Amino acid sequence: MKEYIQEITLEDARELANQVAYSKLSEYRRYESIPLLREEYHEAECCWFFFRNKEIEGPDDGFRSWDYAYSVSKKRNVSTVVDLTNEPEKLKDYIEKFSGRCKELGL
């Protein structure tokens, strides 16, 4: 397998996650001063996961299309993922698998 070379910093990744979070969450913020993402994040070899600020909640329409975590690969690939912060062991397993997939696909 090819060596995985990180292209961005944690700060770059947080900004990318914030941009996607803005498009998904901004309409549900009561005030613009409320941060979209929590300070908490998780990191694996090839990606970071960032999490929605719990102060921001959208409608419970059955889909909860606003209730995501945000994955940013260390090569700038951004996607939404399941937020498993309430299940730490599953989260740890999930981010490791996701990171492995990023490495495998060169993302």
Side-chain angles (χ1 to χ4, degrees):
M1 189 177 291
K2 287 172 41 175
E3 181 183 2
Y4 189 89
I5 300 172
Q6 179 174 330
E7 296 177 1
I8 63 172
T9 65
L10 172 61
E11 293 77 22
D12 296 333
R14 182 176 292 282
E15 179 55 34
L16 289 169
N18 239 338
Q19 289 171 12
V20 174
Y22 183 83
S23 70
K24 305 275 187 196
L25 298 174
S26 63
E27 68 183 283
Y28 304 119
R29 270 197 306 197
R30 280 177 267 155
Y31 308 101
E32 277 193 40
S33 61
I34 296 173
L36 295 167
L37 301 174
R38 287 180 264 170
E39 287 297 316
E40 173 190 2
Y41 68 91
H42 285 253
E43 181 176 6
E45 178 186 5
C46 303
C47 65
W48 294 276
F49 281 8
F50 299 93
F51 306 97
R52 171 183 59 83
N53 182 339
K54 294 290 187 181
E55 290 182 54
I56 301 172
E57 292 188 10
D60 193 2
D61 59 3
F63 297 106
R64 294 178 58 103
S65 58
W66 49 269
D67 191 13
Y68 297 111
Y70 302 89
S71 170
V72 181
S73 79
K74 294 184 178 180
K75 293 187 182 282
R76 299 184 187 276
N77 185 287
V78 183
S79 57
T80 54
V81 294
V82 177
D83 184 341
L84 294 172
T85 50
N86 292 332
E87 301 177 67
E89 289 303 312
K90 285 185 179 181
L91 175 59
K92 181 180 175 190
D93 185 51
Y94 186 45
I95 194 171
E96 289 302 324
K97 286 180 180 175
F98 198 93
S99 178
R101 190 75 173 141
C102 289
K103 188 172 191 173
E104 181 182 320
L105 296 174
L107 299 176

